[in-house]
Amino acid sequence: MEAMVGAQNLTQCVKECSSKASGEASVLRSSASAGSRKIRTLERVRMKAPSFFNVVEGLRLASPVKLAAAPRASPNMVSERSSTNNVRCETGTKVKVTLRLDHQVQFGEHHALIGSAECVGSWQNRVEMRWTDSGWVADLEANPGEKIEYKYIVVAGDGNLVWENGPNRTLQVPNDSGAYQLVSHWDNTGEEVQFVGASNGNGSASKSQESTDQNQQNGSAKVEEKPAMETSSSFVQGWQGKEINFMRSNEHSSREQSGKWDTTGLQGPAKHIVDGDRGAANWWRKLEVVRSLVTGELGKTERLETLVNASVYLKWINTGQIRCYEDGGHYRPNKHAEISRQIFREVERITSAKELSPKESLVVRKIHPSLPAFKAEFTASVPLTRIRDIAHRNDIPHDLKQEIKHTIQNKLHRNAGPEDLVATEAMLARVTKNPGQYSGAFVEQLQIFYAELKDFFNAGSLTEQLEGLRDSFDESKSSVLETFLNSKKTLDQTNTSNGNASKGPDLLIGALHSLTGLRAVLVKGLESGLRNDAPDESIAMRQKWRLSEIGLEDYSFVLLSRYINSLEAAGGANFLIKEAKSQKVMSWNHPLGVVVLGVRQLGLSGYQQKECLAIENEISAWQAAGIVQGKEGLEDDVRSWALRLKATLDRTRRLAETYTDTLLQLFPTRAEKLGKAFGIPENSVKTFTEAEIRASVVFQISKLCSLLLKAVRDVSGSEGWDALMPGTAVGTLVEVDRIVPGSIPASSKGPVVLLVKEADGDEEVKAAGANVMGVILQHELPHLSHLGVRARQEKVVFVTCDDEEKVSNLRALLGKSIKLEASSEGASVSAYDGVQQQQSDPKQKEEGSSAAATSPKPAVQSSKVKRSPKGSVLQLIKADVEKAGAKAAACGELAGLAEISKKVTSEQGVPATFLVPQGQVIPFGAMDDSIESSGLTKQFQSLVAKTETAQVEGGELDGICNELRELVASVRPEKSVIDAIAKSFPSSSKLIVRSSANVEDLAGMSGAGLYESIPNVNASSDPENFGKAVAEVWASLYTRRAVLSRRIAGVPQKEAAMAILVQELISPDLSFVLHTVSPIDNDKKVVQAEIAAGLGETLASGTRGSPWRLAANKFTGAVKTLAFANFSEELVVQSGNAAADGKMVARVADYSTKALSVDPLYRKQIGQHLATVGFFLEQKFGSPQDVEGCIVGKNIYIVQARPQP
């Protein structure tokens, strides 16, 4: 293990912080608590699919964004600053008190508390509580004998607070040192409460009390001694069903099955489950419902639906929310085991299927923990017989024998169910409560039976599960197992002893390493799949391997949580910032290594394995590189190190978001429908997906990434803001999913500023509404993307914010008037109640403002169209605007300039040389000729006329545009045209078909990204596919987005015309977009280039992620790196004999292998060459240019140049 500078700071608090993660193991794969508890509904704006970071907000300390908004009005004016959920009061000897609130909240909300003492915020700062399956928990360290008044609160996603009703709670802290746990219930401040599991460190229970204020006549709380239960499984901790009653006679069979089975609106797998459950009272029949579903026809035709619904159904059975009843039958547990084996076989078959989708891969793992075991002792004709002998012992009281017989033995052997494990654990806790009360031999046998029953329900601890694998391991695997078990044992001892606390971080990371190694062994062993002729013994052992592998993933959640707690206690982001600014980046090795290990857990689970591997490679490479002071004139400093690391950490966080978004796509709607059908409490249904997210490894990965990103932003000088269109905008802040027509509420009549969850580059900002003054996008976006260009063209202030804490605080201003101010230095948002003033600063006027956006603009003049004779094809160099459009004409001019560029260099001797791909043009009029030849002219003209007046609302315009596009796409170019194109290029050439409309690449209307380009076609070998590509580009003239864009620009739809530019397809190493005047600060001396690996569609489309962003001075040759690339994929065209089918191939990008990320000299050379080419084109065209091109080896190709917006 590498030494870590400043590790002592981390280790000092490990022992203290490990308690923060205690109990988190029981969180895993548990749903939120159920019940009909009262929940106060908050009026607020909600996202349709809340992002992962809204969920993370509940467990992360909120760092306030600098907003000038007035503070929210709330009782006692609670500060937005939050304390940790492990809080000390002053100094000296402390009493540890764990407060647990038995209550759950809605998705995106979380609990906190606030009170009179320092450890509960002194009525100023709230103390955040952490989520567990049994409630919300906060660990306090209070002064002995201290009296604390406090209350619980709900913190909504938008920052609003809801206080519980009733008087203040009062806690009288015991005078004795020790550890105490107190359980409370929401809105029940007068309840009698009890300390549970309290210990003074000597093994005996200690007393204290919590009460409401005596002056408010609520009385004092009754306190009972309750020693902690010796054994408690996570299975039982997650139980939400009916409490167990011990019976002395058979009362099971007298209970009739009751429930709700409402199949209204259900179909497919969900209906199968509900219909089947109606006749399935007991557990084995419910398992049979699942077996018949997954192995039946629905399981094949609707596999994803089957897996999702089955996993939810089984989870609710195992947690007791769907109850199991006796039905008068008599089936021993071997019946359940046999059914479980059949389900397991089918689920394993699905897991090994080549066509398994990423969503199915994610869901299928959630079924395994809910299935019982089926090894030989459980499939025997009379399994689990030990309980029968226990119930007939002569060394226990008769009443106890009767309770064991009727509550456990008879019930288990007639109709086993999850409730039997709960009953057995409760019985074991009861007979071990007072040592010596019962026969030691009896207690020992009951403990052995309890272990057997846990084994049957697959509810054993991780260590118990792993010990069961020893017989199947060879020597090398046994060594890996032993290494992990020893690491875990040492770590467990550290949590109960101060002796090894100083080694805490090393022990945690060591345990993660050994865990990962053991998981890899198990995953490798499971890769081969399950043979059809596999014997029962092998199948049973495979189940153990599978559950152990899943259990290791669950335990990694706990280790990650403990490590994050230790890092935060040692100073967290502030500690790392200080170290990095002192160039002591060795201090980052531990946390970055933990990110790698966390990401590796996702890869081992089968989730986006190539993406996980690329992230691992990048972080490892950046760790190895460190900070090296480069040669003069080259960037290789702390800032560059931080920017490069930020790119990969952003990519890692995006991976976590994608995982969470997948869960949000899969579970909420399906769980809601199934829950409604079964009458599951509404709160349990709403929190089902949140529980899955909070229990997943990505939750901890995201927390750690957030902490590290906070540090790298500070080191790199970023605050999370990025301005694409500077200026000032004033309006009501409205949150929307996307920028699309109809997304703004009808009630928002005045100016608005949009807080947007996601953008994909296809949006027209003003198409969402003429009253849009500004946009705040919640993720990064390339500056020179089509959407960024349109924002500048439409003069809409546009910023991005990738800091989830700032976004969270912005939500406090939703529905209020705000002022958004953006510049090249960043952005700020403040509450605003004045009248917007015209800007007086000349630079701001030049950059643009929302004031300009409200001024009427003159209509854009489309270029004149001159139709060429039927069947014409033009050489690119002879293309002009009237016959071929501005894009083709510019490309023709570029072809001529390419020769001149060979003779031009900059003052630094950098050449302006560039190349232009060979090309031909299908001129204006060819589309009309093809439509006329097909006899569709009248219908075409009618539809075009309708687009002028069709309403966006109600889908009228969508319908007309779809019909119009289908009509145009159905025609083909004249055969003579295709033949002429084929003869113009070598027969093996792959081509790209591009648009060149008379309404794009104009000074007032760039039309960036409005129309299609289709790469990878061949006119010689596949003329039909080539003709189809041409028709699809023609048809793109009539997308809704294109039609609305022309409406906004004032261009009549009938004037729009499309020519086709056909060029040889370049298979580039890199693609770029270049603005010859810096688009953010309007610096005329600087060009800005954005570069992506592979084809340029990644840049243009607004794909999530960031490009390499370089700023280069045209005159001095100075190059500055503004951002490093982190797009997850690069688009390529397969080389060689691969089919020219009009398709691109997405390939996962690994930036540890890209010269632009690892070589500062190469970045400088590329930046200088692009600056020289850009300056040359700017001079030749007479105005700032928006240039697109690509790089192949050392050659630069220019494929487009148009006036810069």
Side-chain angles (χ1 to χ4, degrees):
M1 187 68 62
E2 293 183 82
M4 173 175 163
V5 178
Q8 294 85 351
N9 295 332
L10 288 173
T11 57
Q12 289 174 354
C13 301
V14 170
K15 177 67 172 67
E16 170 186 326
C17 292
S18 62
S19 63
K20 290 177 69 179
S22 63
E24 291 195 63
S26 64
V27 174
L28 303 174
R29 307 192 181 279
S30 300
S31 60
S33 296
S36 55
R37 305 182 182 98
K38 176 182 178 183
I39 296 178
R40 182 166 305 174
T41 301
L42 302 175
E43 293 295 331
R44 58 195 177 277
V45 178
R46 284 189 176 276
M47 302 295 292
K48 293 180 180 178
S51 75
F52 178 69
F53 299 102
N54 293 342
V55 180
V56 173
E57 177 190 359
L59 290 182
R60 190 184 56 249
L61 309 183
S63 175
V65 64
K66 295 180 180 179
L67 304 175
R72 294 188 303 273
S74 62
N76 300 309
M77 296 300 293
V78 179
S79 170
E80 290 187 28
R81 293 177 303 169
S82 305
S83 305
T84 65
N85 56 12
N86 190 354
V87 188
R88 289 176 176 266
C89 288
E90 301 172 2
T91 59
T93 304
K94 301 298 174 186
V95 178
K96 293 184 178 181
V97 180
T98 297
L99 298 180
R100 177 162 64 85
L101 179 61
D102 188 8
H103 179 248
Q104 295 298 339
V105 292
Q106 297 186 33
F107 191 93
E109 301 172 348
H110 67 277
H111 271 298
L113 70 148
I114 188 169
S116 57
E118 182 183 352
C119 59
V120 286
S122 302
W123 294 118
Q124 294 297 320
N125 301 325
R126 63 179 185 256
V127 175
E128 308 292 348
M129 303 181 77
R130 70 174 184 271
W131 181 87
T132 73
D133 62 320
S134 56
W136 291 80
V137 175
D139 299 315
L140 309 178
E141 294 188 1
N143 297 317
E146 185 176 19
K147 183 179 179 180
I148 301 174
E149 293 187 15
Y150 68 99
K151 267 195 171 183
Y152 296 109
I153 54 180
V154 172
V155 183
D158 58 9
N160 288 326
L161 306 182
V162 178
W163 295 66
E164 63 177 340
N165 292 316
N168 293 339
R169 298 176 184 266
T170 302
L171 172 66
Q172 186 66 50
V173 180
N175 290 315
D176 298 329
S177 62
Y180 303 86
Q181 185 181 111
L182 192 61
V183 180
S184 308
H185 300 82
W186 177 257
D187 267 355
N188 194 4
T189 57
E191 65 185 328
E192 286 192 351
V193 293
Q194 302 174 351
F195 280 110
V196 268
S199 171
N200 61 11
N202 298 315
S204 60
S206 303
K207 297 181 180 180
S208 183
Q209 67 178 25
E210 179 197 40
S211 66
T212 49
D213 196 325
Q214 295 288 338
N215 296 331
Q216 294 165 321
Q217 300 181 354
N218 285 311
S220 61
K222 179 181 178 181
V223 179
E224 295 181 3
E225 287 188 18
K226 282 185 103 175
M229 188 182 297
E230 288 187 2
T231 306
S232 180
S233 68
S234 59
F235 184 104
V236 175
Q237 290 171 359
W239 183 254
Q240 299 171 37
K242 187 176 175 64
E243 292 185 3
I244 300 301
N245 295 316
F246 293 108
M247 296 172 288
R248 296 175 182 174
S249 61
N250 181 22
E251 301 172 18
H252 294 286
S253 58
S254 63
R255 301 176 184 175
E256 295 183 0
Q257 179 185 11
S258 62
K260 179 183 178 183
W261 301 275
D262 182 3
T263 59
T264 305
L266 294 185
Q267 57 185 357
K271 188 174 188 299
H272 177 99
I273 287 174
V274 177
D275 283 337
D277 187 84
R278 192 192 306 270
N282 58 45
W283 190 35
W284 79 259
R285 294 189 186 278
K286 294 180 188 296
L287 289 171
E288 176 61 23
V289 171
V290 175
R291 187 207 63 78
S292 65
L293 176 61
V294 298
T295 62
E297 188 63 25
L298 281 174
K300 296 179 176 63
T301 58
E302 299 184 46
R303 191 162 71 185
L304 180 61
E305 288 291 327
T306 292
L307 294 173
V308 174
N309 282 280
S311 68
V312 175
Y313 178 58
L314 288 169
K315 183 68 169 286
W316 281 338
I317 293 170
N318 271 26
T319 56
Q321 292 166 287
I322 293 179
R323 292 185 62 188
C324 297
Y325 299 85
E326 290 205 58
D327 61 357
H330 191 131
Y331 290 93
R332 296 185 185 278
N334 58 347
K335 178 75 171 179
H336 310 67
E338 291 288 355
I339 298 171
S340 177
R341 178 160 51 201
Q342 295 177 57
I343 297 173
F344 178 81
R345 288 197 68 133
E346 182 60 23
V347 169
E348 284 294 289
R349 186 194 67 78
I350 293 171
T351 303
S352 302
K354 291 183 178 180
E355 72 277 10
L356 184 72
S357 72
K359 289 182 178 179
E360 290 169 342
S361 175
L362 189 154
V363 175
V364 76
R365 296 173 59 80
K366 300 183 181 300
I367 291 177
H368 290 292
S370 299
L371 299 178
F374 43 80
K375 60 184 183 179
E377 50 263 52
F378 302 134
T379 57
S381 58
V382 186
L384 296 167
T385 58
R386 189 182 305 274
I387 191 63
R388 180 182 60 195
D389 299 332
I390 293 172
H392 291 83
R393 295 181 65 93
N394 292 324
D395 57 351
I396 58 176
H398 175 75
D399 287 348
L400 181 58
K401 286 166 52 173
Q402 291 296 105
E403 288 176 343
I404 293 174
K405 176 181 179 181
H406 292 292
T407 307
I408 303 174
Q409 179 206 342
N410 290 348
K411 165 66 172 62
L412 180 68
H413 287 163
R414 283 197 303 264
N415 283 283
E419 63 278 0
D420 297 328
L421 181 59
V422 180
T424 302
E425 185 169 302
M427 176 62 73
L428 183 60
R430 175 178 157 189
V431 301
T432 57
K433 179 177 181 181
N434 299 314
Q437 181 178 0
Y438 297 101
S439 160
F442 157 69
V443 173
E444 180 184 17
Q445 287 299 304
L446 188 59
Q447 289 173 329
I448 294 173
F449 171 72
Y450 173 64
E452 293 172 343
L453 200 58
K454 283 200 297 180
D455 194 19
F456 173 63
F457 283 98
N458 284 317
S461 68
L462 176 59
T463 300
E464 290 169 335
Q465 289 177 330
L466 293 173
E467 289 289 354
L469 304 183
R470 285 191 183 275
D471 291 344
S472 65
F473 277 9
D474 58 22
E475 185 176 348
S476 63
K477 293 183 177 67
S478 296
S479 176
V480 177
L481 171 62
E482 203 61 41
T483 300
F484 170 70
L485 290 176
N486 288 337
S487 295
K488 185 176 184 295
K489 182 178 180 181
T490 302
L491 190 61
D492 291 342
Q493 290 172 345
T494 303
N495 293 334
T496 57
S497 168
N498 289 317
N500 292 321
S502 62
K503 301 178 182 178
D506 285 337
L507 292 175
L508 285 165
I509 295 173
L512 271 170
H513 272 291
S514 59
L515 178 152
T516 305
L518 180 55
R519 261 197 94 191
V521 167
L522 295 176
V523 169
K524 184 67 176 177
L526 292 165
E527 276 181 352
S528 59
L530 186 61
R531 293 193 347 239
N532 292 331
D533 60 348
D536 293 345
E537 182 181 359
S538 297
I539 301 173
M541 184 54 70
R542 186 179 180 89
Q543 186 191 38
K544 282 185 169 295
W545 278 50
R546 179 66 71 189
L547 289 170
S548 295
E549 182 266 309
I550 292 172
L552 286 167
E553 180 188 13
D554 290 346
Y555 188 61
S556 70
F557 173 98
V558 179
L559 296 179
L560 288 168
S561 175
R562 290 176 180 172
Y563 178 78
I564 294 168
N565 290 338
S566 70
L567 182 59
E568 288 178 332
N574 291 332
F575 163 69
L576 294 172
I577 291 167
K578 181 179 178 181
E579 293 289 290
K581 288 185 176 179
S582 301
Q583 298 194 11
K584 299 176 182 177
V585 293
M586 285 288 289
S587 304
W588 288 68
N589 282 348
H590 270 177
L592 291 174
V594 171
V595 172
V596 168
L597 291 171
V599 170
R600 194 168 297 169
Q601 305 311 312
L602 293 182
L604 288 171
S605 299
Y607 187 75
Q608 293 197 24
Q609 292 177 326
K610 292 181 179 180
E611 177 75 355
C612 291
L613 181 60
I615 289 172
E616 290 182 42
N617 290 343
E618 288 178 26
I619 293 179
S620 298
W622 311 155
Q623 282 182 280
I627 299 174
V628 180
Q629 293 298 333
K631 299 178 182 179
E632 185 177 354
L634 296 182
E635 291 182 308
D636 202 355
D637 53 12
V638 174
R639 180 179 169 277
S640 295
W641 170 85
L643 285 174
R644 189 167 57 183
L645 189 55
K646 177 182 179 296
T648 301
L649 289 172
D650 277 330
R651 182 177 185 176
T652 309
R653 191 179 64 176
R654 190 168 68 238
L655 175 69
E657 280 186 307
T658 304
Y659 182 99
T660 305
D661 288 343
T662 302
L663 288 179
L664 290 168
Q665 292 167 16
L666 290 172
F667 284 105
T669 301
R670 294 173 176 92
E672 182 179 356
K673 290 180 178 179
L674 206 58
K676 182 179 179 181
F678 281 119
I680 303 296
E682 183 180 1
N683 187 51
S684 291
V685 174
K686 288 184 176 180
T687 57
F688 183 91
T689 309
E690 182 173 7
E692 294 294 330
I693 292 170
R694 289 182 183 276
S696 66
V697 171
V698 293
F699 186 76
Q700 301 298 347
I701 294 172
S702 183
K703 286 176 68 178
L704 183 53
C705 283
S706 295
L707 185 153
L708 294 173
L709 280 167
K710 181 178 180 180
V712 296
R713 287 191 192 103
D714 187 284
V715 175
S716 65
S718 167
E719 295 185 355
W721 294 104
D722 192 15
L724 277 72
M725 173 58 193
T728 300
V730 172
T732 302
L733 186 63
V734 176
E735 190 166 24
V736 297
D737 283 343
R738 290 179 176 272
I739 310 171
V740 293
S743 59
I744 303 175
S747 57
S748 300
K749 300 294 186 183
V752 298
V753 175
L754 300 181
L755 180 60
V756 183
K757 180 186 176 185
E758 189 173 355
D760 57 18
D762 284 338
E763 297 85 355
E764 293 286 335
V765 181
K766 284 293 184 178
N771 56 338
V772 176
M773 301 290 106
V775 173
I776 304 171
L777 179 62
Q778 297 174 39
H779 62 78
E780 288 187 319
L781 190 75
H783 287 192
L784 310 185
S785 65
H786 292 329
L787 180 56
V789 169
R790 292 177 203 134
R792 288 188 285 275
Q793 199 163 36
E794 296 176 16
K795 299 296 186 291
V796 175
V797 180
F798 198 118
V799 301
T800 68
C801 183
D802 65 349
D803 186 330
E804 64 272 15
E805 292 179 1
K806 287 182 171 63
V807 172
S808 174
N809 284 298
L810 282 173
R811 291 197 175 95
L813 297 173
L814 288 173
K816 299 176 182 177
S817 180
I818 60 110
K819 177 189 282 187
L820 168 62
E821 297 177 285
S823 71
S824 58
E825 303 301 318
S828 65
V829 179
S830 59
Y832 188 77
D833 55 6
V835 178
Q836 184 179 4
Q837 298 178 350
Q838 294 291 332
Q839 297 172 334
S840 56
D841 183 66
K843 185 177 179 181
Q844 283 186 315
K845 283 186 178 181
E846 192 171 8
E847 291 173 342
S849 72
S850 61
T854 60
S855 304
K857 296 190 300 182
V860 173
Q861 295 296 316
S862 58
S863 60
K864 294 181 179 180
V865 171
K866 183 177 181 181
R867 290 184 59 168
S868 297
K870 189 174 182 179
S872 297
V873 172
L874 306 178
Q875 293 182 16
L876 180 58
I877 202 163
K878 295 182 179 179
D880 60 31
V881 173
E882 290 186 346
K883 293 179 180 179
K887 180 187 293 184
C891 285
E893 191 170 352
L894 284 169
L897 292 174
E899 287 298 318
I900 302 173
S901 72
K902 296 176 182 179
K903 304 174 185 178
V904 179
T905 60
S906 70
E907 293 182 4
Q908 290 76 35
V910 178
T913 306
F914 65 89
L915 303 173
V916 175
Q918 178 186 350
Q920 299 284 310
V921 180
I922 303 174
F924 292 134
M927 182 182 79
D928 302 88
D929 291 337
S930 295
I931 291 173
E932 184 177 351
S933 298
S934 301
L936 298 172
T937 301
K938 186 174 181 181
Q939 183 182 353
F940 168 75
Q941 292 174 344
S942 173
L943 288 170
V944 170
K946 290 179 180 179
T947 61
E948 294 284 11
T949 57
Q951 297 296 310
V952 176
E953 295 77 10
E956 182 186 5
L957 181 60
D958 283 339
I960 293 171
C961 288
N962 289 340
E963 191 176 350
L964 189 50
R965 286 204 321 277
E966 288 176 6
L967 184 151
V968 177
S970 69
V971 304
R972 294 291 181 269
E974 300 290 333
K975 184 178 182 301
S976 59
V977 170
I978 298 177
D979 291 342
I981 294 291
K983 292 177 182 178
S984 302
F985 297 93
S987 60
S988 60
S989 293
K990 293 182 178 181
L991 309 176
I992 181 170
V993 177
R994 305 174 63 198
S995 67
S996 183
N998 68 329
V999 282
E1000 64 176 326
D1001 289 14
L1002 305 177
M1005 185 182 186
S1006 72
L1010 279 181
Y1011 310 114
E1012 290 285 351
S1013 290
I1014 299 180
N1016 196 22
V1017 293
N1018 186 294
S1020 297
S1021 62
D1022 193 349
E1024 171 56 29
N1025 201 41
F1026 174 81
K1028 180 181 177 183
V1030 171
E1032 287 181 9
V1033 176
W1034 280 338
S1036 68
L1037 193 61
Y1038 300 107
T1039 62
R1040 181 183 70 169
R1041 191 161 52 86
V1043 169
L1044 289 175
S1045 177
R1046 292 193 289 273
R1047 280 190 185 181
I1048 293 169
V1051 177
Q1053 304 296 334
K1054 64 181 180 180
E1055 291 185 5
M1058 178 72 78
I1060 298 294
L1061 171 60
V1062 181
Q1063 287 181 287
E1064 185 177 3
L1065 178 62
I1066 304 298
S1067 185
D1069 302 320
L1070 302 167
S1071 295
F1072 64 84
V1073 177
L1074 175 71
H1075 280 196
T1076 62
V1077 171
S1078 179
I1080 309 304
D1081 58 8
N1082 208 34
D1083 189 340
K1084 294 181 173 60
K1085 300 185 296 296
V1086 174
V1087 304
Q1088 186 176 117
E1090 292 191 327
I1091 308 168
L1095 293 167
E1097 183 62 21
T1098 304
L1099 280 172
S1101 65
T1103 303
R1104 286 293 300 272
S1106 64
W1108 289 286
R1109 187 174 298 126
L1110 304 178
N1113 192 291
K1114 304 170 188 175
F1115 307 104
T1116 67
V1119 177
K1120 183 176 183 180
T1121 304
L1122 304 179
F1124 283 83
N1126 68 5
F1127 292 120
S1128 294
E1129 295 177 335
E1130 53 184 306
L1131 297 175
V1132 299
V1133 174
Q1134 291 183 328
S1135 58
N1137 296 322
D1141 55 5
K1143 297 179 181 178
M1144 297 174 286
V1145 178
R1147 184 170 63 194
V1148 172
D1150 180 351
Y1151 294 99
S1152 69
T1153 66
K1154 303 294 185 184
L1156 266 181
S1157 286
V1158 300
D1159 187 349
L1161 177 59
Y1162 183 67
R1163 285 200 300 277
K1164 180 179 180 180
Q1165 291 171 342
I1166 290 294
Q1168 289 180 335
H1169 196 168
L1170 291 176
T1172 304
V1173 171
F1175 188 36
F1176 171 78
L1177 293 175
E1178 183 180 65
Q1179 289 183 311
K1180 291 300 180 182
F1181 283 109
S1183 66
Q1185 294 293 297
D1186 173 357
V1187 182
E1188 294 182 17
C1190 59
I1191 301 171
V1192 182
K1194 296 183 178 180
N1195 293 324
I1196 289 181
Y1197 285 82
I1198 302 299
V1199 299
Q1200 184 168 310
R1202 59 190 168 206
Q1204 180 177 327

